[in-house]
Amino acid sequence: MSEAAQTVYVSDQVREVERLHRDLFTDGFRRLPIRDQLDRQAHRIVEGHKAGDRAVVTHITCWHPKLVCRSADDIMNSNFTLDDARQTIAREYGFADWSDVEARGENPPDQDFELAVDTLLRGDAEKLRGLLSSDPTLIHRRSSFGHRSTLLHYVGSNGVETYRQKVPLNLVEITRLLIEAGADVNATANMYGGSTALGLLVTSDHPAKAGVTSDVLKVLVDAGAKRD
């Protein structure tokens, strides 16, 4: 078992989505405008669908406006176009639709924020603490993607980019670190009509299967997080 497998819980579905896109997520890709990043992922989803790669099902059943909650067979047998893929990936990243991506996605995402998210999801508490110490504004910054999550929202493993719905097994430590750095435990982000980190956490299978939901919930509630 690899070190990553020992320290971070990743569901089979998320692992498959990560595999589908893995070669895209280079340093150069991450510096592209958001519109271009999402367009390349949309093309990859169409290619995967045509090739019969069921890794695309998680994207589509969760985010396509008409195929949401449909079975894998229904999805793979559907007539799935590039426009379908663009609408799917737009919604996954918190945009209303593809026209919203085109209107708001002309610039690259915030590279410092993105690095902090990646560090958080690896469970690298020491490096995350250093990033937050070097730039205290990170704790209040928000994702450049449509969902506009704070770092704390990523502890919920829910509603953000599918490949990032991972759970570091030291999530309690990570959550405490974010709160100590000044995270607003009741901040809302633009998923599911407006969600707090607590709301995302308790409605996600990933932290539950990793066995950390109750402990992280206690940390949030003790810090003043309000239940919806």
Side-chain angles (χ1 to χ4, degrees), residues 120 151-157 171 174-175 178 197 201 207 216 220:
L120 183 164
L151 291 175
L152 189 64
H153 286 99
Y154 281 88
V155 309
S157 304
L171 192 60
I174 293 292
T175 304
L178 294 173
L201 174 78
V216 176
L220 290 170

Side-chain angles (χ1 to χ4, degrees), residues 201-221:
L201 174 78
V202 299
T203 55
S204 176
D205 284 343
H206 304 308
K209 290 181 178 177
V212 300
T213 297
S214 60
D215 290 338
V216 176
L217 175 63
K218 185 177 187 307
V219 172
L220 290 170
V221 171

Side-chain angles (χ1 to χ4, degrees), residues 96-109:
D97 51 29
W98 188 251
S99 64
D100 191 22
V101 173
E102 291 184 325
R104 295 198 285 150
E106 294 183 355
N107 298 314

Side-chain angles (χ1 to χ4, degrees), residues 33-180:
I34 288 171
R35 176 189 56 221
D36 295 349
Q37 290 192 27
L38 270 58
D39 192 48
R40 291 191 184 189
Q41 290 179 71
H43 277 85
R44 179 58 53 83
I45 293 169
V46 169
E47 292 164 3
H49 186 272
K50 287 181 179 177
D53 188 339
R54 292 196 170 215
V56 304
V57 169
T58 298
H59 284 298
I60 299 166
T61 194
C62 291
W63 298 108
H64 188 276
K66 294 183 179 178
L67 294 173
V68 64
C69 295
R70 299 288 290 272
S71 71
D73 287 343
D74 283 349
I75 287 168
M76 297 309 295
N77 291 327
S78 68
N79 179 24
F80 194 79
T81 67
L82 179 59
D83 182 65
D84 287 314
R86 284 172 169 165
Q87 300 304 332
T88 297
I89 203 70
R91 287 159 56 91
E92 178 175 329
Y93 278 73
F95 295 95
D97 51 29
W98 188 251
S99 64
D100 191 22
V101 173
E102 291 184 325
R104 295 198 285 150
E106 294 183 355
N107 298 314
D110 179 341
Q111 298 300 302
D112 292 337
F113 183 89
E114 294 296 298
L115 174 60
V117 173
D118 290 339
T119 303
L120 183 164
L121 295 176
R122 287 197 306 270
D124 190 341
E126 182 177 356
K127 182 174 181 179
L128 182 60
R129 186 176 289 107
L131 292 173
L132 293 171
S133 177
S134 297
D135 185 356
T137 69
L138 275 171
I139 198 64
H140 302 297
R141 302 236 288 266
R142 289 179 176 265
S143 170
S144 304
F145 298 121
H147 52 70
R148 303 292 291 158
S149 294
T150 66
L151 291 175
L152 189 64
H153 286 99
Y154 281 88
V155 309
S157 304
N158 190 359
V160 294
E161 309 92 284
T162 299
Y163 80 98
R164 277 177 157 167
Q165 293 182 24
K166 303 175 181 179
V167 186
L169 299 185
N170 64 340
L171 192 60
V172 170
E173 178 186 4
I174 293 292
T175 304
R176 285 199 184 106
L177 190 164
L178 294 173
I179 291 170
E180 289 168 1

